[in-house]
């Protein structure tokens, strides 16, 4: 492996090897340079090397070398300059295509040259045997050896480029362009095997793109530009598949398009959807799926009618006729009846795939799927107005086959309609997705449908019919074909018939127990008889023996069942909660992983950017130094050459020369030479001035003589042109005079015609003015009436508004008066209540005063020490001197509760005179024994509140407190 200090050296070495005919060594040298890890920083020289590298690969047809080199170059310039990779790939494909075209032009027979089943296969055994047996090569074999290798290499080029660009988001357009070129290659040269392989490659690329979503440069399918490119590629694939008549691959392409639309959940543009459904109609028709073919036509009709504004009425009528005929071509019975289980499962899967492509809901019942779908399709045609847009012949045929009942002449009525329909069709002007449409393709299916309808109607009317009569009734087919159609219909239980060749008759037997009609009648009869029997003899409910043995078994079973259901519900909830927690954990882990990946990528990008900047600065410094050194060497060489030419000694001798010394010497030498050159130029300019002045002095008289000769020639020319112009003017004037004299005789007629026209126009003008004035008058009258009506309406509205305002004001005044009266009544009521409360409080004060006097009187009677040695109620007042008897005023025991009514009765029984209070009774609250129940009495007496009683009786605090009876009375000591 050769090593180079600079990439430029490798490029020069490769060119030298190519010049001497060693292309393999040159390719190997460039390959070693590209795959080396020393040159990982992108520079312009690497792009030139890659151009040379791919040229050598194309010349020698080395696809593996080209692929390795492009992969390494992608690593180098993916993050720095991806446009360079795009240019190299484009150059590579251009060279491959150009060489293939050159080989094809050199070949004489292209079809024989490309008669190979597989471009990737090696030589076949028969070719090797033929090459050894045959002595001389034929023309076909020489063409094969000339053209086929280049087409193999071109195919390998397409595969290599697609593999390199499959997950590159920055070169999606180049990927799409390469795929389109590969499709065109397969189409141009009818390469069906390569087309299948190419479709599989693109399909695998998309699958890997969805499988590995954490790739660095992965294209984002949610972006509109990326989605459009992928959809365009799939639609081009679908077009080429239909043109090559690869219907299975076309169906897979349609599934790819549908999967791509479902993946991004976005509907493409209507122009693309029109192509999608147009190709689906072809695929379903070729596969024999008439039901889905009709639904695809219906979708196509809806899109064309909604979005194609340039669609003419004739084209719309033709498309609507195709929709109706496609719906009629669907068989009126189910084809899956009587097939095996495996075939039934395959048919079910196939129908499900086709129904998903057109968003068609399959009926859940398998045995009635096509019948129900056909009826639903026909009803949808009527509801969407397709039938109203179809041709009259198509409408008549629809009503005849679906709603008519003509057992004998149904086919005879349908035959002229089918003949007219077969002639309809042609190119469509504006429906670009369906350039040409021929309705004759539906004729065989419609003839079969007409035959089935006739047999069905005949079987309902006749029991026996001759074969000859039946053949005459069906002019489309021979009886052998009718027999095949009948066998298929009987097989699928559409009709019931037998053919007796000995008698030459056809038997329509509907009395078999297996017949549909009779089976339904017997079922209805059995159900009716069963209901009648139950009504006549109702069943007797017998007691169960188990219920007699275990009377509580039902309750136990019910409870256990409820427990099991509750346990099942709990388990399901726990499972759901566990799944939800797992999903949340996975989501959190995924988000953490994405964050860490994003952080790592950002750090890697920053590191790469910093390294790139460092390498860029170092490279710039090295280039500056090398450039300065090269300039100094060039200056030195030039100075030496100059000194040698002049016979002088070299400026510098020896090898110890620095760059600065070289620069200074070179600059001083240049300055000296520049000064010498300036002196030479000044001397030369002086000589040139003398020479120019002498030349002008000699040329001046010659120029003056030439000018005078030119003046004479111009004067003669001017006079000649003036005379010619005068002559032409005179001739034009004479011609105009003659023309005026010729037209003068028509002046009267012209004046009469002018007066007639003016009179007609005046009359028309007067009539129009009169009509305009009348119309204006009517408009003014109408506007006047309108203003009057508006004025009256405004007056009515204003008066009505004033009346309502007045009524509202009166109502408000009445409400204010009522509110004022209520306030006065409330104030009077409040004053009365205050007066009543004041009387109540006065009464309470009087009672309190009486009670106080009574207590003072009792206290004065109980102050005698000889009778009652202690106690507050037994002491006599010192100022009164009255001794109260013990029996008259018994003192209760200290701390014992005495009810109020007993205290009042005792006070009344004593009948003691109320003494006058002393002068110290009302002022000394501490000497006065307090009643321990006074707070209760005052709280229970009257209806006034505590705050209302507080100003009376000396304050609420003195009445609410009570003291012990152990305190000695005044004077006891």
């Amino acid at each position: 492996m050769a090593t180079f200090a600079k990439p430029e050296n490798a490029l020069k070495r490769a060119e030298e090897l190519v010049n001497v005919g060693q292309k393999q060594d040159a390719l190997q040298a460039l390959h070693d340079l590209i795959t080396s890890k020393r040159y990982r920083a992108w520079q312009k020289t690497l792009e030139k090397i890659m151009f040379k590298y791919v040229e050598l690969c194309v010349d020698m047809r080395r696809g593996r070398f080209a692929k390795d080199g492009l992969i390494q170059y992608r690593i180098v310039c993916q993050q720095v300059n991806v446009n360079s990779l795009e240019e190299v790939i484009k150059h590579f494909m251009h060279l491959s295509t150009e060489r293939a075209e050159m080989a094809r032009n050199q070949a004489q027979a292209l079809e024989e040259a490309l008669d190979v089943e597989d471009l990737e296969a090696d030589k076949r055994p028969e070719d090797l045997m033929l090459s050894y047996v045959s002595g001389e090569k034929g023309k076909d074999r020489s063409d094969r050896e000339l053209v086929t290798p280049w087409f193999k290499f071109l195919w390998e080029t397409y595969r290599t480029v697609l593999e390199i660009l499959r997950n590159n988001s920055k070169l999606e357009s180049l990927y799409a362009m390469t795929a389109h070129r590969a499709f065109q290659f397969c189409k141009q040269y009818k390469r069906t095997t390569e087309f299948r392989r190419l479709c599989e490659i693109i399909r695998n690329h998309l699958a890997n793109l969805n499988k590995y979503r954490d790739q660095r440069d992965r294209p984002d399918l949610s972006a509109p530009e990326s989605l459009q490119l992928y959809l365009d590629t799939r639609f081009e694939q679908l077009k080429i598949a239909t043109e090559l008549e690869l219907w299975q691959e076309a169906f897979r392409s349609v599934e790819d398009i549908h999967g791509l639309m479902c993946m991004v959940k976005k509907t493409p543009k209507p122009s693309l959807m029109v192509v999608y459904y147009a190709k689906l109609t072809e695929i379903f028709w070729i596969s024999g799926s008439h039901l889905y073919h009709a639904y695809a036509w219906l979708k196509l009709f809806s899109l064309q009618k909604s979005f194609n504004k340039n669609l003419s009425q004739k084209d719309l009528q033709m498309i609507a006729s195709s929709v109706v005929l496609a719906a009629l071509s669907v068989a009126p019975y189910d084809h899956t009846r009587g097939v095996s289980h495996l075939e039934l499962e395959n048919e079910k899967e196939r129908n499900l795939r086709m129904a998903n492509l057109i968003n068609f809901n399959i009926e859940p019942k398998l045995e009635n799927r096509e019948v129900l779908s056909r009826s639903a399709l026909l009803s949808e045609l009527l509801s969407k107005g397709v039938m109203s847009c179809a041709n009259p012949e198509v409408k008549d045929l629809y009503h005849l086959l679906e709603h008519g009942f003509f057992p004998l002449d149904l086919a005879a009525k349908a035959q002229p309609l089918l003949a007219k329909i077969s002639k309809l069709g042609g190119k469509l002007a504006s429906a670009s997705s369906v350039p040409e449409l021929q309705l004759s393709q539906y004729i065989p299916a419609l003839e079969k449908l007409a035959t089935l309808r006739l047999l069905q109607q005949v079987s309902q009317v006749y029991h026996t019919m001759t074969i000859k009569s039946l053949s005459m009734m069906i002019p489309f087919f021979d009886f052998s074909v009718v027999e095949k159609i009948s066998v298929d219909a009987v097989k699928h239980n559409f009709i019931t018939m037998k053919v007796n060749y000995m008698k030459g008759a056809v038997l329509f037997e509907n009395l078999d127990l297996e017949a549909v009609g009779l089976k339904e009648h017997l079922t209805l009869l059995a159900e009716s008889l069963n209901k009648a029997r139950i009504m006549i003899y109702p069943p007797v409910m017998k007691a169960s023996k188990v219920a007699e043995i275990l009377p509580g078994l039902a309750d136990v079973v019910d409870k256990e069942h409820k427990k099991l259901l509750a346990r099942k519900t709990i388990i399901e909830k726990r499972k759901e909660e566990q799944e939800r927690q797992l999903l949340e954990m996975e989501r959190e882990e995924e988000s953490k992983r994405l964050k860490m990946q994003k952080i790592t990528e950002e750090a890697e990008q920053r590191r790469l950017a910093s390294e790139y900047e460092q390498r860029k600065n170092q490279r710039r410094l090295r280039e500056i130094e090398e450039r300065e050194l090269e300039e100094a060497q060039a200056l030195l060489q030039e100075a030496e050459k100059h000194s040698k030419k002049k016979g002088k000694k070299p400026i510098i001798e020896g090898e110890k020369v620095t760059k600065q010394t070289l620069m200074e010497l070179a600059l001083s030498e240049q300055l000296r030479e520049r000064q010498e050159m300036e002196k030479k130029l000044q001397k030369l300019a002086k000589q040139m001035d003398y020479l120019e002045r002498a030349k002008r002095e000699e040329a001046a008289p010659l120029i003056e003589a030439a000018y005078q000769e030119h003046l004479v020639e111009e004067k003669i020319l001017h006079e000649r042109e003036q005379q010619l112009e005068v002559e032409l003017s005179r001739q034009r004037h004479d011609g105009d005079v003659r023309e005026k004299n010729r037209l003068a005789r028509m002046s009267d007629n012209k004046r009469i015609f002018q007066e007639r026209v003016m009179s007609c126009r005046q009359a028309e003008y007067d009539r129009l003015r009169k009509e305009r004035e009348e119309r204006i008058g009517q408009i003014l009258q109408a506007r006047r009436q309108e203003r009057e009506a508006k004025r009256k309406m405004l007056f009515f509205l204003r008066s009505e508004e004033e009346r309502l305002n007045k009524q509202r004001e009166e109502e408000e005044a009445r409400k204010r008066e009522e509110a004022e009266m209520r306030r006065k009544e409330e104030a009077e009521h409040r004053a009365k209540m205050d007066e009543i409360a004041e009387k109540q409080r006065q009464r309470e004060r009087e009672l309190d005063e009486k009670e106080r006097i009574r207590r003072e009187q009792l206290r004065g009677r109980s102050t005698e020490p000889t009778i009652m040695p202690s106690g507050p109620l037994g002491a006599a007042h010192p100022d009164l001197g009255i001794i109260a008897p013990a029996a008259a005023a018994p003192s209760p025991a200290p701390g014992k509760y005495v009810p109020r009514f007993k205290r009042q009765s005792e006070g009344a029984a004593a009948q003691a005179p109320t003494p006058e209070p002393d002068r110290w009774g009302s002022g000394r609250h501490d000497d006065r024994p307090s009643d321990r129940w006074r707070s209760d009495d005052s709280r229970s007496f009257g209806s006034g509140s505590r705050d209302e009683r507080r100003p009376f009786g000396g304050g609420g605090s003195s009445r609410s407190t009570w003291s012990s009876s152990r305190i000695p009375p005044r004077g006891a000591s």
Side-chain angles (χ1 to χ4, degrees):
M1 178 178 177
T3 57
F4 300 97
K6 297 181 182 179
E8 295 87 350
N9 300 336
L11 183 59
K12 292 178 182 178
R13 178 62 177 166
E15 290 177 352
E16 293 172 356
L17 292 172
V18 170
N19 292 332
V20 298
Q22 298 180 4
K23 292 185 178 180
Q24 179 62 37
D25 295 338
L27 181 63
Q28 187 64 41
L30 294 179
H31 183 267
D32 294 341
L33 177 73
I34 293 170
T35 56
S36 175
K37 294 183 179 180
R38 295 179 60 186
Y39 307 104
R40 291 301 185 187
W42 183 88
Q43 49 185 324
K44 190 65 176 179
T45 310
L46 286 179
E47 184 176 347
K48 297 178 182 179
I49 293 173
M50 283 303 301
F51 278 123
K52 189 65 178 180
Y53 180 77
V54 296
E55 289 175 3
L56 292 174
C57 291
V58 172
D59 288 339
M60 304 175 66
R61 292 201 298 269
R62 298 300 177 89
R64 295 295 179 89
F65 275 85
K67 185 175 181 179
D68 293 342
L70 288 174
I71 290 175
Q72 294 297 327
Y73 191 63
R74 180 187 63 181
I75 296 172
V76 171
C77 62
Q78 175 66 35
Q79 303 297 330
V80 181
N81 189 2
V82 76
N83 294 326
S84 178
L85 176 63
E86 182 178 2
E87 294 298 328
V88 171
I89 290 176
K90 286 182 179 179
H91 185 64
F92 179 45
M93 289 195 296
H94 173 70
L95 291 176
S96 302
T97 308
E98 186 178 2
R99 294 303 295 269
E101 289 295 329
M102 290 173 60
R104 186 178 70 87
N105 293 332
Q106 292 174 5
Q108 298 296 326
L110 180 62
E111 287 78 7
E112 291 81 358
L114 290 178
D115 190 13
V116 182
E117 289 297 327
D118 191 356
L119 291 176
E120 294 184 2
D122 296 331
K123 290 185 177 180
R124 295 180 299 179
E126 53 267 24
D127 294 333
L128 294 174
M129 292 174 65
L130 184 61
S131 64
Y132 284 109
V133 173
S134 177
E136 58 181 3
K137 296 182 179 180
K139 185 175 182 302
D140 297 342
R141 293 178 61 194
S142 63
D143 292 340
R144 184 184 301 273
E145 290 181 0
L146 178 64
V147 178
T148 304
W150 282 110
F151 278 91
K152 284 185 176 180
F153 182 75
L154 180 58
W155 169 246
E156 189 176 358
T157 299
Y158 288 138
R159 290 198 58 174
T160 300
V161 174
L162 290 176
E163 184 67 24
I164 290 172
L165 302 176
R166 61 188 177 87
N167 56 356
N168 199 325
S169 60
K170 299 178 181 179
L171 296 177
E172 291 176 342
S173 57
L174 184 59
Y175 179 86
M177 184 189 73
T178 306
H180 282 252
R181 286 191 179 181
F183 288 142
Q184 293 300 323
F185 168 78
C186 298
K187 173 187 173 183
Q188 185 177 0
Y189 304 114
K190 304 295 187 296
R191 306 310 307 174
T192 56
T193 305
E194 284 72 25
F195 180 77
R196 292 192 186 95
R197 191 172 288 120
L198 177 63
C199 296
E200 192 64 30
I201 288 170
I202 295 177
R203 197 173 292 118
N204 290 335
H205 287 176
L206 182 61
N208 292 331
L209 197 65
N210 294 323
K211 184 177 180 181
Y212 305 105
R213 295 178 177 272
D214 54 348
Q215 293 180 352
R216 183 172 185 177
D217 298 318
R218 173 184 174 274
D220 187 10
L221 292 179
S222 60
E225 297 80 7
S226 302
L227 176 62
Q228 189 63 36
L229 288 174
Y230 275 84
L231 283 176
D232 291 341
T233 304
R234 267 47 178 199
F235 276 105
E236 183 68 19
Q237 174 183 336
L238 176 60
K239 290 179 183 178
I240 302 302
T242 54
E243 291 176 4
L244 294 176
E245 296 184 355
L246 301 175
W247 302 110
Q248 186 175 5
E249 197 60 43
F251 183 75
R252 296 186 69 187
S253 301
V254 170
E255 286 187 327
D256 292 342
I257 295 172
H258 185 263
L260 196 59
M261 290 188 296
C262 295
M263 187 187 306
V264 298
K265 297 180 181 180
K266 184 177 180 181
T267 306
K269 295 184 293 186
S271 59
L272 294 179
M273 294 305 297
V274 167
V275 177
Y276 175 79
Y277 286 115
K279 298 302 179 183
L280 271 181
T281 57
E282 298 181 24
I283 295 170
F284 288 149
W285 181 256
I286 295 296
S287 64
S289 304
H290 293 172
L291 175 64
Y292 302 105
H293 170 75
Y295 264 96
W297 262 117
L298 181 60
K299 295 282 188 180
L300 181 60
F301 171 79
S302 302
L303 281 173
Q304 290 281 8
K305 188 177 180 182
S306 301
F307 297 101
N308 196 348
K309 303 302 181 183
N310 299 324
L311 193 67
S312 62
Q313 187 65 30
K314 183 180 178 182
D315 295 341
L316 183 64
Q317 191 178 25
M318 191 66 64
I319 296 175
S321 302
S322 299
V323 177
V324 177
L325 294 179
L328 291 176
S329 300
V330 182
Y333 50 79
D334 187 12
H335 289 282
T336 60
R337 189 181 184 86
V339 299
S340 64
H341 178 71
L342 181 60
E343 293 177 352
L344 196 63
E345 290 297 326
N346 293 335
E347 182 70 18
K348 182 178 179 181
E349 182 181 359
R350 177 173 174 269
N351 290 335
L352 182 62
R353 290 170 63 187
M354 291 190 296
N356 288 332
L357 296 178
I358 55 175
N359 297 325
F360 171 57
N361 296 323
I362 296 182
E363 297 292 336
K365 295 183 179 180
L366 183 64
E367 62 273 7
N368 295 327
R369 177 186 299 152
E370 291 213 2
V371 176
L372 292 175
S373 300
R374 186 178 187 273
S375 60
L377 175 61
L378 292 175
S379 62
E380 193 170 355
L381 295 183
L382 295 174
S383 63
K384 290 189 175 181
V386 180
M387 198 68 66
S388 60
C389 299
N391 285 325
E393 294 83 2
V394 177
K395 295 180 184 177
D396 297 339
L397 183 64
Y398 168 76
H399 291 295
L400 179 65
L401 296 179
E402 295 297 326
H403 302 292
F405 188 79
F406 304 99
L408 297 178
D409 54 352
L410 177 64
K413 289 179 179 293
Q415 187 176 10
L417 295 175
L418 292 176
K420 292 180 181 179
I421 291 173
S422 64
K423 298 178 182 179
L424 296 176
K427 294 184 178 180
L428 302 183
S430 52
S432 59
S433 61
V434 189
E436 189 174 0
L437 188 61
Q438 297 293 339
L439 301 184
S440 57
Q441 62 177 349
Y442 300 108
I443 297 301
L446 295 174
E447 290 177 348
K448 183 179 178 181
L449 177 64
T451 304
L452 289 172
R453 292 298 185 194
L454 188 141
L455 293 174
Q456 184 185 23
Q457 294 177 9
V458 168
S459 65
Q460 295 176 5
V461 176
Y462 294 95
H463 184 267
T464 306
M465 178 176 287
T466 61
I467 295 177
K468 184 178 180 181
S469 301
L470 186 61
S471 300
M472 293 176 62
M473 292 167 58
I474 303 174
F476 309 126
F477 310 112
D478 296 335
F479 186 72
S480 60
V481 181
V482 176
E483 187 178 5
K484 292 180 181 179
I485 297 173
S486 303
V487 169
D488 191 60
V490 171
K491 176 184 176 182
H492 295 99
N493 204 16
F494 183 69
I495 57 175
T496 306
M497 63 178 290
K498 295 181 180 179
V499 181
N500 192 338
Y501 288 99
M502 296 181 63
K503 296 181 180 180
V506 179
L507 305 177
F508 300 100
E509 297 181 357
N510 291 329
L511 300 178
D512 191 4
L513 290 177
E514 297 297 330
V516 178
L518 186 59
K519 183 169 64 176
E520 292 177 356
H521 286 302
L522 291 176
T523 304
L524 293 174
L525 179 61
E527 291 177 356
S528 301
L529 291 176
N530 191 19
K531 290 181 181 178
R533 183 183 62 79
I534 291 173
M535 292 175 65
I536 296 172
Y537 301 106
V540 179
M541 300 298 292
K542 296 182 179 181
S544 177
K545 294 181 180 181
V546 178
E548 294 177 357
I549 296 172
L550 300 173
L553 181 61
D555 298 335
V556 173
V557 171
D558 191 13
K559 290 180 181 179
E560 290 295 328
H561 180 64
K562 290 180 179 178
K563 288 181 180 179
L564 290 175
L565 290 177
R567 185 170 178 270
K568 182 180 179 182
T569 305
I570 294 170
I571 292 172
E572 289 178 353
K573 288 182 178 179
R574 289 178 180 176
K575 286 182 178 179
E576 291 176 358
E577 183 67 22
Q578 188 176 5
E579 291 177 357
R580 187 181 62 79
Q581 292 178 358
L582 289 175
L583 287 175
E584 289 181 356
M585 291 174 63
E586 290 178 358
R587 195 179 296 111
E588 290 178 358
E589 291 177 357
E590 183 68 18
S591 63
K592 289 180 181 178
R593 187 183 64 80
L594 291 175
K595 288 181 180 178
M596 292 300 297
Q597 181 181 358
K598 186 176 180 182
I599 293 170
T600 307
E601 289 179 356
E602 291 177 354
E604 183 67 18
Q605 289 179 359
R606 287 194 297 269
R607 185 183 65 81
L608 291 175
S610 62
E611 291 180 357
Y612 173 72
E613 289 294 334
Q614 291 176 1
R615 290 194 298 270
K616 187 176 179 181
N617 294 331
Q618 292 175 2
R619 186 175 65 253
R620 190 181 296 112
L621 293 175
R622 287 198 305 269
E623 289 176 356
I624 292 171
E625 292 177 357
E626 291 174 358
R627 193 181 302 112
E628 290 178 353
L629 185 58
E630 289 176 358
E631 290 176 357
Q633 293 290 341
L635 290 173
L636 179 60
Q637 292 176 4
E638 186 179 354
E640 289 177 355
K641 288 180 182 179
H642 190 64
S643 62
K644 286 179 181 179
K645 286 181 181 180
K646 292 183 178 182
K648 298 180 181 179
K649 292 177 67 177
I651 301 174
I652 298 177
E653 294 180 356
E655 296 182 355
K656 296 182 179 181
V657 180
T658 61
K659 184 178 67 175
Q660 189 66 24
T661 307
L662 288 173
M663 292 294 293
E664 291 176 356
L665 291 173
L667 289 174
S668 61
E669 184 65 23
Q670 286 182 358
L671 181 60
R672 184 180 59 78
E673 291 180 356
R674 189 180 299 113
Q675 290 174 356
E676 292 178 357
M677 184 61 66
E678 286 179 357
K679 291 179 181 178
K680 291 180 181 180
L681 288 175
Q682 288 177 0
K683 185 177 180 181
L684 182 61
K686 191 173 182 180
Q687 292 177 358
M688 292 296 294
D689 289 340
Y690 291 152
L691 180 61
E692 185 67 24
R693 184 171 59 189
K695 286 166 59 179
R696 292 190 181 185
E697 288 178 355
E698 293 293 331
L702 299 176
I703 293 173
E704 182 65 26
Y707 175 68
Q708 295 297 330
E709 291 177 2
H710 182 68
L711 284 179
V712 173
E713 292 175 0
E714 289 290 334
K715 185 176 181 181
I716 296 171
L717 180 62
H718 175 69
E719 291 176 356
R720 188 184 303 117
E721 289 181 355
Q722 188 71 19
Q723 291 176 1
L724 182 60
E725 182 66 26
V726 170
E727 186 65 27
L728 291 175
S729 298
R730 186 179 294 108
Q731 291 177 3
R732 284 197 297 269
H733 176 70
D734 295 339
D736 293 341
V737 170
R738 287 194 299 271
E739 185 70 17
K740 177 182 178 183
N741 295 331
R742 188 177 68 84
L743 297 176
R745 58 188 179 84
M746 302 178 189
S747 60
D748 296 336
N749 295 329
K750 176 250 184 184
R751 179 178 51 76
I752 293 169
F753 177 75
Q754 183 178 0
E755 291 177 355
R756 187 185 305 119
V757 172
M758 291 302 295
S759 62
C760 293
R761 290 184 179 177
Q762 184 66 32
E764 182 70 17
Y765 171 73
D766 295 338
R767 183 179 62 79
L768 292 175
R769 185 178 63 181
K770 186 176 180 181
E771 291 178 357
R772 179 174 175 276
E773 290 176 355
E774 291 177 356
R775 187 166 61 254
I776 291 173
Q778 293 176 0
I779 293 172
L780 291 176
Q781 183 66 22
R783 289 182 179 176
R784 194 178 297 111
Q785 293 177 0
E786 185 179 356
R787 285 198 300 273
E788 187 66 26
K790 188 182 293 185
R791 192 180 298 112
K792 290 181 180 180
M793 179 60 68
L794 290 174
F795 176 75
F796 174 74
L797 292 175
R798 195 179 298 110
S799 60
E800 185 68 17
E801 186 178 0
E802 291 177 357
R803 185 181 64 81
L804 292 176
N805 291 335
K806 186 176 180 181
Q807 186 177 358
R808 188 164 54 252
E809 290 175 358
E810 292 177 355
E811 183 70 20
E812 292 177 356
R814 184 178 59 79
K815 289 181 180 179
R816 285 197 297 273
E817 292 178 358
E818 291 179 355
E820 187 68 25
M821 291 178 65
R822 282 197 299 272
R823 282 197 297 273
K824 290 181 179 181
E825 290 176 355
E826 290 176 358
E828 293 176 358
H829 179 70
R830 195 179 300 109
K832 290 181 180 179
M833 293 302 295
D834 292 341
E835 185 178 356
I836 293 171
E838 183 64 28
K839 290 181 179 179
Q840 187 71 20
R841 287 193 292 273
Q842 183 68 26
R843 191 178 301 113
E844 288 178 2
R845 285 195 297 272
E846 292 177 358
L847 291 175
D848 291 341
E849 186 68 20
K850 290 180 181 180
E851 183 68 18
R852 188 182 62 77
I853 294 171
R854 185 179 64 80
R855 283 199 305 271
E856 292 291 335
Q857 187 178 5
L858 290 175
R859 189 171 62 247
R861 292 177 182 177
S862 60
T863 54
E864 183 64 34
T866 57
I867 298 173
M868 295 294 295
S870 64
L873 297 179
H877 200 279
D879 297 333
L880 296 176
I882 299 174
I883 300 173
S891 62
K896 186 178 180 181
Y897 171 73
V898 179
R900 182 180 178 185
F901 67 92
K902 287 185 177 183
R903 286 187 277 117
Q904 290 178 356
S905 60
E906 289 174 0
Q911 293 180 357
T914 304
E916 290 293 332
D918 60 339
R919 57 178 180 174
W920 309 106
S922 60
R924 294 178 59 88
H925 297 288
D926 296 334
D927 298 338
R928 196 177 48 172
S930 61
D931 191 357
R932 71 182 62 182
W933 314 115
R934 185 67 188 95
S935 61
D936 295 336
D937 295 342
S938 62
R939 190 181 299 116
S940 62
F941 182 77
S943 61
S945 62
R946 182 179 298 175
D947 296 336
E948 293 174 351
R949 292 193 306 267
R950 183 172 298 169
F952 309 102
S957 60
S958 61
R959 293 199 309 268
S960 61
T961 57
W962 59 282
S963 60
S964 175
S965 59
R966 293 191 186 98
I967 300 174
R970 189 177 59 181
S973 58

